[in-house]
Structures are given as C-alpha cells and as structure tokens.
Amino acid sequence: MRPPPCSDYRRQQHQCIEANSSQLAMLYAALYTIALGGGGIKSNVSGFGSDQFDNSDPKEEKAMVFFFNRFYFCVSIGSLFAVTVLVYIQDNVGRGWGYGISAVTMVIAVTILLSGTQFYRFKMPRGSPLTVIWRVIFLAWRKRNLPYPSYPSLLNEYHNAKVSHTQRFRCLDKAAILEDYYSASGNKDNPWIVSTVNQVEEVKMVIKLLPIWSTCILFWTVYSQMTTFTIEQATFMNRKVGSFVVPSGSLSVFLFISILLFTSLNERIFVPFARKLTHNVQGVTSLQRVGIGLIFSMVAMVTAALVEKQRREAAVQHKTKISAFWLVPQFFLVGAGEAFAYVGQLEFFIREAPDRMKSMSTGLFLSTLAMGFFVSSLLVSLVDKVTNMRWLRSNLNQGKLDNFYWMLAVLGVLNFLAFLAFAMRHQYKTLQYNSPDVYGENELKKGWNEGIASEMEKKERVEGKEEP
C-alpha cells in the first residue's frame, strides 16, 4: 500500500523508491473520498441544523441567531486542533497516527449523530431543486413569444402559491402560463408543460442570491493569502522565541484564535448590544455581518502591504530580519473578518433560499470559498504575466509582494462598493413575502374579486335566458 521507507542517506543518494501507480491510485482515491464526504457534510449540516428551529416561534427564532455563530465556533475549534495537535502528531509520531485519530473522531461523530435521531425535526425531500430551476428556465424560454396574461392571477396555481408573486425577473413568469391547448387536454399538472407560480418564485429567490454570491468571492481570495504568501513571508522573518523556532505554518494558529475570539464576542457582546440599538431579533442582519467582514479584509490587506514593505526594506537595506509576529495583525484582521463574513454568508444563504433548497444554497455559499482560491491563482498568473514576474518571486526579497497586497486592497474597495449596491437593493425574504402590501397579495385579492364578479355576471345572464 506504500513504498518502502527511505533513509536520509538513500534520499541524498537519490536511491528512494517512488510510489507506483497502484499506490498512488489508492492515495488519491482516499483523498477524493475525504473530499466527497466533506462536501456532503458541509452542504447539509448547517441546513439540517437550521431545520431544528421553528421560525414562527419567537424563542426559537432568537436561538437560531446564535446557532450559526456557535456552529462556526465549533468548526474553528476543529481547525485549531488540526493545525496544532494533529500536525504535531503527524510530523513527530507518524501520519498513520494522525489519520487514525481523525478516523476515530469521525466514528464518534457518526455515533453521536445517530443517537439523536429520535429527537430531530425532519423535512422530507421534495425532489431535486436543480430540476425545478432547469425546468422553469426551459419553459420560460420555450414560451418567450407568448404574451403576458392580463393579470398575474391568471398564472398557473396562482391562488395556491405559498410564495406571493413578485414583479422581479418577470420573464420567468411565462413558465407559469398555461396554454389553451394544454389546458383543454388536461395537462395542467404536467411539470414539463407548465410550472406553478410557487416554483417560478423559488427560482427567482435563487437568482436573487447570485449578486451577493459574486461579491463574497473576493473575501476568500484575501483569506487564501493567509495560507500562501503570508506563510511564505514568515519563512523570511525571525521566528525565534528564545531558543525555539516557531514553524512558519504554525502562525496560522493566530487566525483561528481570532476567529474563536470574535465568534464569542459576537454572541456575548455585539449581538445583544445591537439588539438594544436596532430592536431587531437578529441584532445585526446577515448582510451587515458580511459587510463588516469585507471591511476587515480590506484593512488586513493594507496592513499586510505595510508589513511586507518594512520586512523587505529591513532585509535588503539593513540585512536584518524583523519578527514574524508582525504578521499577527493581518492574521487577526482576516480572522475577525471571517468570523463575521462566514457566519453572515451562511445565515444569508440559508435564510434567503427557498425552504426546499437549503442544502443547494449552502453548497452555493461554499462554492465562494473554492472560487476565492481559484481567483487567487488567476490573479497570481495575471500579475506574473503583466509584471514579467517582478512582483511575485520565490525569493520575496527580490520581489514586490506589497504591491500585490495593495492591488487586493483596491479590488476589495471596488468589490465592497458593488456589495453595498446589491445589499441596499436586496429585500429580505421575510419582508418581501410576508408583507401585506406586496403587489402579489393585492393582485391576488384583485384577481379573486374579479373572479367572483365574473361568475356573478355569468349567473345573471343564464338566469335572464331562462325567463320567459
């Protein structure tokens, strides 16, 4: 299952036996299985957790605000344990022990999960949300040449919709137009012939998430610098504490400490204080949390640029190394931003998504993390090409990493302005769909009254014909 051990002597003589194709295949299969399991857990655990709270109960609605905060607090404890205890065990005892401990903790986790089965609130699945989205878009395109009905109340299943009709993305309403031919042939319930108003509105809700989704990507681009260039900076700095040399990768501990600190402060100080000011159960809305996180990320890049400039000048001009602990402020700021941004994004995507699309919306949120790292790689490639590799060098003393940080800070400002524009236009689902003044409900009443009047007119004409 693995190649034979290789001593330092054999490694120096280039006599080590590399892993063969079968051994590499097993390694990659194991790693991709971990990724598959992680994707399944991450995209469902937060949505399932939020299902345990009843939004109609004021006490549970209040408790749900803290759920997302505590959820990420526990996630961060796991990350802190991984980068400290597990890394030490893997480097000094053996990787087999590191993976073994992880496997045992997962067995314990599954046991705890199953033991609570009888206490959970379950929401039964109602089909794939991707199928609904694709079907609505397909039908709207196929019926694009049909005229809009005189009143929205004439759309399919208008009166039975759980979500009130809205005027945004009106082109999708055509998916709910029932053509006369299909109406006469009794195909009203065929989902590939006509969608319901409820399905159309759910798709609209998902589309409304995309602008905010796009502006969340850059935060994770900034975050990715904490695990790449910031660690690289540490290797060129003084990492001694007495006679002990701190591993450059271990400095990420300050990132997770900052996250744990600010998630605790969020629950104990910020949210209660904000409740008194805003008289809102949430205290701070999800989008406000995201905005605070974006501000922290911008300040972090400015700080990182200033520190890197001082580090390079000390190394090049004075031949000295400044302390690696000058990197703590940027770790601290990004960690604080993540405590706000992660919780805010998670809460936003779960709360604002349709009830049966929570897992998909969580996956949409998690995709911002992946996209952030991809954008980081893209920016590095573009910067290398435009600057002829003058900014980013393997030897940071010969490059200008601070310019790259300044560029991220400027992009952060532009991204934040775009976020503000989208956030100010966004109408929360609880306000949009529960308000008694929305257009859809007024139109519903109007259509209902017109339907009654029409029936009365028909009845009067029939009675008039029956008279001698």
Side-chain angles (χ1 to χ4, degrees), residues 7-184:
S7 64
D8 291 337
Y9 172 77
R10 288 181 175 275
R11 187 176 293 109
Q12 293 172 1
Q13 299 298 319
H14 304 288
Q15 297 176 352
C16 294
I17 299 176
E18 297 181 352
N20 58 39
S21 57
S22 299
Q23 292 166 340
L24 286 175
M26 180 168 291
L27 172 65
Y28 286 123
L31 293 177
Y32 281 115
T33 302
I34 293 173
L36 182 64
I41 293 172
K42 288 186 176 182
S43 62
N44 288 280
V45 64
S46 53
F48 182 70
S50 66
D51 285 344
Q52 309 309 307
F53 299 89
D54 184 3
N55 291 333
S56 60
D57 187 335
K59 292 184 178 180
E60 294 195 23
E61 170 70 13
K62 185 176 180 180
M64 186 177 177
V65 175
F66 294 119
F67 163 72
F68 296 105
N69 208 60
R70 294 172 182 175
F71 167 77
Y72 192 53
F73 183 87
C74 293
V75 171
S76 300
I77 288 179
S79 299
L80 184 64
F81 177 79
V83 299
T84 52
V85 178
L86 281 184
V87 168
Y88 177 84
I89 291 175
Q90 288 181 343
D91 290 347
N92 296 278
V93 181
R95 288 191 173 272
W97 281 96
Y99 285 120
I101 293 173
S102 300
V104 171
T105 57
M106 289 307 301
V107 171
I108 295 173
V110 171
T111 303
I112 295 174
L113 175 71
L114 295 178
S115 65
T117 302
Q118 59 179 336
F119 304 107
Y120 298 142
R121 291 173 176 171
F122 291 100
K123 290 186 178 180
M124 299 302 295
R126 291 178 290 175
S128 170
L130 294 178
T131 304
V132 175
I133 294 172
W134 156 249
R135 200 160 48 206
V136 168
I137 295 175
F138 168 75
L139 290 175
W141 172 257
R142 188 173 68 81
K143 300 178 182 182
R144 63 189 182 279
N145 295 323
L146 294 179
Y148 288 101
S150 304
Y151 300 102
S153 57
L154 299 176
L155 295 173
N156 185 41
E157 294 291 326
Y158 179 89
H159 300 292
N160 297 325
K162 296 181 180 179
V163 182
S164 298
H165 177 263
T166 60
Q167 290 291 354
R168 283 191 175 183
F169 309 111
R170 193 169 174 230
C171 59
L172 295 177
D173 288 344
K174 291 192 174 184
I177 296 176
L178 181 61
E179 299 166 87
D180 295 337
Y181 171 79
Y182 293 113
S183 179

Side-chain angles (χ1 to χ4, degrees), residues 236-365:
F236 288 84
M237 301 173 77
N238 182 9
R239 293 177 279 114
K240 289 185 178 180
V241 179
S243 60
F244 178 72
V245 178
V246 179
S248 57
S250 296
L251 289 173
S252 59
V253 167
F254 293 104
L255 178 69
F256 297 109
I257 291 175
S258 176
I259 294 171
L260 293 172
L261 174 63
F262 273 86
T263 49
S264 300
L265 292 176
N266 274 339
E267 180 171 332
R268 298 296 180 184
I269 298 177
F270 296 149
V271 172
F273 180 71
R275 279 176 176 166
K276 293 180 180 179
L277 292 179
T278 63
H279 304 289
N280 189 326
V281 174
Q282 290 180 267
V284 180
T285 65
S286 55
L287 288 180
Q288 288 172 343
R289 290 175 188 266
V290 176
I292 294 172
L294 293 178
I295 293 174
F296 270 115
S297 69
M298 291 184 289
V299 178
M301 287 298 94
V302 172
T303 304
L306 295 175
V307 170
E308 171 59 17
K309 184 179 180 180
Q310 293 298 319
R311 185 208 64 77
R312 192 178 70 252
E313 289 180 354
V316 175
Q317 298 178 10
H318 305 290
K319 307 300 180 181
T320 60
K321 292 182 178 181
I322 66 173
S323 173
F325 290 98
W326 279 104
L327 298 175
V328 172
Q330 61 201 65
F331 276 117
F332 185 82
L333 289 168
V334 172
E338 186 179 358
F340 283 98
Y342 189 103
V343 175
Q345 290 177 39
L346 181 62
E347 182 180 356
F348 174 79
F349 281 94
I350 287 182
R351 284 181 177 271
E352 296 302 297
D355 290 339
R356 64 172 172 176
M357 298 185 182
K358 285 186 177 181
S359 295
M360 189 200 72
S361 65
T362 306
L364 187 66
F365 152 61

